[in-house]
Amino acid sequence: MNRFLSLVDQINEQTGKVVSYLVIILAAVILYEIVARYFFGNPTIWAHETSQIIYGAYVVLLGGYVLKQGAHVNVEILYNRFKPRSRALIDLITWSLFFCFAGVLFWKGLVIGWESLAIRETSPTTFAPPVYPTKLFLPLAALLLLLQGLARYLKTILFLLSGKEEP
């Protein structure tokens, strides 16, 4: 069990580190467009759409990493007043909602991505980049999120059984 939990944490940690570099590429694309448009009066047809694709991949693929870090926004007005074991019980209940959301995201993302791949969908713009790679990131991101959620869920159960928090 510990090997599985460690593996999921490592996968999301490494994915987060690799995907975080997309911000540099995104900044470079936007900077290029600014320079081309305002200094040379020659705007591009590809920069806006490319930046949207990069940003979309960046946002969805970091979900598992953010969950691993515990960095999602929480409403903890009452939650922090409970004892650790009570919080763990509340977490087990709320994880069921998470699994429903992430499961639907994975399933629908897979359907949307597969349909897009099947027709080799492109954007209906002059630039017309392929859209299917971006749509295929959604089920991948949902899978990473589901795995990390499962790891957190199992860690919560282990805490309830043992009384010791996992790192």
Side-chain angles (χ1 to χ4, degrees):
M1 168 98 72
N2 285 337
R3 288 180 68 185
F4 171 75
L5 296 175
S6 179
L7 178 64
V8 170
D9 284 349
Q10 287 177 351
I11 289 171
N12 276 303
E13 184 75 29
Q14 292 304 314
T15 301
K17 287 179 179 178
V18 169
V19 171
S20 67
Y21 287 105
L22 287 177
V23 157
I24 296 168
I25 298 168
L26 176 63
V29 168
I30 292 171
L31 180 63
Y32 182 87
E33 174 63 18
I34 291 168
V35 170
R37 179 179 301 257
Y38 294 107
F39 291 105
F40 298 108
N42 192 17
T44 65
I45 62 167
W46 57 268
H48 177 69
E49 209 158 1
T50 302
S51 65
Q52 286 180 325
I53 291 168
I54 294 169
Y55 184 69
Y58 175 79
V59 168
V60 297
L61 289 173
L62 283 178
Y65 174 77
V66 171
L67 183 59
K68 179 193 175 297
Q69 300 299 325
H72 284 289
V73 174
N74 294 313
V75 179
E76 298 175 339
I77 295 170
L78 296 175
Y79 181 81
N80 285 337
R81 295 181 185 188
F82 293 116
K83 294 178 181 175
R85 284 205 161 171
S86 298
R87 287 196 300 253
L89 283 171
I90 293 168
D91 288 344
L92 288 181
I93 294 166
T94 58
W95 278 116
S96 62
L97 298 172
F98 164 82
F99 288 123
C100 289
F101 167 76
V104 169
L105 186 64
F106 175 73
W107 178 251
K108 287 301 195 178
L110 199 59
V111 169
I112 290 167
W114 185 256
E115 288 173 354
S116 182
L117 176 65
I119 63 170
R120 303 278 194 249
E121 184 180 8
T122 61
S123 174
T125 62
T126 306
F127 177 46
V131 175
Y132 60 89
T134 306
K135 288 188 177 183
L136 287 171
F137 282 139
L138 189 57
L140 173 61
L143 179 63
L144 292 171
L145 190 64
L146 272 168
L147 286 172
Q148 193 63 50
L150 179 61
R152 294 273 305 264
Y153 183 78
L154 293 172
K155 287 178 184 180
T156 302
I157 291 173
L158 289 173
F159 170 70
L160 281 172
L161 296 175
S162 69
K164 293 186 249 175
E165 282 199 57
E166 292 290 321

